[in-house]
Amino acid sequence: EVQLVESGGGLVQPGRSLRLSCVASGFSFVVAGMSWARQAPGKGLEWVADIGPGDTSIYYANSVKGRFTISRDDAKKTLYLQMNSLQTEDTAIYYCAKDRWYGGNSRGQGTQVTVSS
């Protein structure tokens, strides 16, 4: 059974940073593409970034490019999202997902990120 557990969310002021983590189990993490998506209040799911096996083929949504960095530690079966220069528009529930984003991915329960002064 695929299990994904996110952590690291919280309340942060605009311009600050947060790092999200996602611990994976129940599948072969080392050969899996992984992704992050988010859902802002009252809006649908939005893809944020994804990464292929072995740190290959990293892609970002235009809204986060240059501010967010996706990475992975295969030994720890953990996916990360480093978020810098956070903006109020980044407020959302952030989800870790197995495979490159296609909308129907298995995902975790999410972690809340709130950017507010």
Side-chain angles (χ1 to χ4, degrees):
E1 178 188 3
V2 172
Q3 290 196 336
L4 300 162
V5 180
E6 302 95 335
S7 62
L11 173 63
V12 64
Q13 293 180 329
R16 305 299 293 267
S17 300
L18 277 177
R19 188 176 82 154
L20 306 183
S21 300
C22 170
V23 178
S25 62
F27 64 98
S28 181
F29 183 82
V30 67
V31 299
M34 297 293 295
S35 51
W36 287 98
R38 65 186 182 185
Q39 186 165 25
K43 297 188 177 181
L45 277 170
E46 174 193 21
W47 167 72
V48 172
D50 57 32
I51 184 170
D55 291 352
T56 59
S57 303
I58 294 174
Y59 300 101
Y60 297 97
N62 287 336
S63 58
V64 307
K65 197 175 297 183
R67 300 187 299 121
F68 290 11
T69 302
I70 188 172
S71 62
R72 60 192 297 161
D73 185 330
D74 290 341
K76 295 182 178 179
K77 297 183 181 181
T78 301
L79 180 72
Y80 301 101
L81 186 68
Q82 177 67 42
M83 305 187 294
N84 298 331
S85 302
L86 282 161
Q87 304 168 356
T88 55
E89 308 88 85
D90 296 318
T91 295
I93 300 173
Y94 283 73
Y95 298 95
C96 162
K98 179 180 176 291
D99 298 318
R100 292 196 179 277
W101 187 251
Y102 61 89
N105 306 62
S106 297
R107 61 179 189 264
Q109 82 291 346
T111 185
Q112 176 71 49
V113 172
T114 302
V115 184
S116 174
S117 55

